[in-house]
Amino acid sequence: MPILEVQDVHTYYGNIEALKGISLKVEQGEIVTLIGSNGAGKTTTLRTIAGVLRPRRGTVRMDSSDLTKTPANQIVRLGIAHSPEGRRIFARMTVRENLEMGAFARGAANIADDYERVYTLFPRIKERLKQRAGTLSGGEQQMLAIGRALMARPKLLLLDEPSMGLAPVLVELVFQTIKEINAQGMTVLLVEQNAHMALTIANRGYVLQTGKIVLSDTAKALASNEMVRKAYLGED
């Protein structure tokens, strides 16, 4: 059974249909990426899985649990953590307090190992624990956003545009960290504007266009697909 299965999901913003019957699955231990242009529905897909948005039709399942009508805070407890587009850190709180908020669904007990895991992945974060999160650089804020999601100790990590606005050297660092997280056993569903980098680290991928999945394959096959190369990899 896939760790995540989305079946025929239709999600709306008011009367505007953003997702038009998408279906996808993520197997345990995979990195799966969603690629597509702005407005294709990638972020909406993650927000629907995380329970921030409710599908009007279709189902979202994790293991044996139907998440379609489950509150977002309960979805976190079931094992899905979301690092959202734009990072959404708590700017006036310290770095340490942001990390603690990531573990809110678990309570304050037995999270020492999770702190150490984040510090190992992101040594810069450890150096800035007492600093207000809003004063961090863009790259440090992204590290904090991912670290905060990991504090929930999820089975599935949703990452939305982790490289957005970062310098190339930090993009490399973020993707290397995602690979390391996955190597430790974490399953990842990745939305990323940098399609080349996403397909480099992913096992499989889905291509979204205007709320529909138009193509799915292994990452290697997508990277060599003519349509993908022209539309998303900037090749003629």
Side-chain angles (χ1 to χ4, degrees):
M1 180 183 295
I3 189 171
L4 176 75
E5 190 164 13
V6 176
Q7 293 183 320
D8 193 30
V9 161
H10 298 251
T11 300
Y12 288 71
Y13 292 98
N15 293 323
I16 299 173
E17 188 177 17
L19 299 182
K20 304 173 182 178
I22 71 164
S23 297
L24 61 86
K25 65 179 180 179
V26 180
E27 302 286 351
Q28 177 70 42
E30 285 190 306
I31 299 177
V32 175
T33 187
L34 307 180
I35 60 175
S37 59
N38 289 338
K42 306 184 302 297
T43 291
T44 301
T45 299
L46 294 194
R47 287 167 64 86
T48 301
I49 293 167
V52 179
L53 296 172
R54 292 286 176 220
R56 205 171 285 184
R57 288 162 47 199
T59 59
V60 178
R61 300 188 67 85
M62 180 181 178
D63 296 330
S64 59
S65 301
D66 186 347
L67 307 183
T68 312
K69 296 182 180 180
T70 304
N73 65 325
Q74 187 60 33
I75 288 175
V76 175
R77 291 184 172 90
L78 289 171
I80 295 180
H82 184 199
S83 179
E85 181 182 17
R87 297 142 197 169
R88 303 293 181 88
I89 59 166
F90 301 104
R92 295 185 180 182
M93 297 172 68
T94 66
V95 168
R96 174 82 176 200
E97 288 168 341
N98 269 266
L99 293 176
E100 187 175 354
M101 288 299 293
F104 81 95
R106 299 169 48 207
N110 302 318
I111 60 175
D113 289 345
D114 301 282
Y115 281 124
E116 289 304 318
R117 180 188 188 191
V118 173
Y119 300 157
T120 300
L121 287 168
F122 304 113
R124 295 190 198 184
I125 294 301
K126 187 175 183 179
E127 297 169 2
R128 291 159 171 75
L129 290 179
K130 297 181 180 180
Q131 189 171 329
R132 285 194 179 187
T135 66
L136 299 178
S137 70
E140 291 164 348
Q141 289 185 15
Q142 185 60 67
M143 295 173 195
L144 178 57
I146 296 174
R148 181 181 60 187
L150 291 174
M151 289 295 294
R153 202 180 288 179
K155 299 176 184 177
L156 173 64
L157 178 62
L158 309 179
L159 294 177
D160 196 350
E161 303 285 11
S163 78
M164 180 180 288
L166 301 186
V169 64
L170 290 177
V171 172
E172 292 279 353
L173 175 61
V174 166
F175 276 94
Q176 184 58 43
T177 302
I178 295 170
K179 286 177 64 177
E180 186 173 344
I181 292 168
N182 177 249
Q184 294 173 358
M186 181 70 66
T187 306
V188 179
L189 180 56
L190 170 67
V191 162
E192 178 51 52
Q193 61 180 348
N194 189 330
H196 174 75
M197 290 294 291
L199 292 172
T200 297
I201 68 168
N203 302 103
R204 296 187 299 109
Y206 294 87
V207 179
L208 274 72
Q209 289 182 358
T210 58
K212 297 179 180 180
I213 291 174
V214 297
L215 190 62
S216 65
D217 212 326
T218 65
K220 183 177 180 180
L222 289 176
S224 61
N225 180 278
E226 184 177 0
M227 183 273 283
V228 173
R229 291 167 69 93
K230 288 182 178 179
Y232 305 111
L233 302 182
E235 300 180 15
D236 295 329

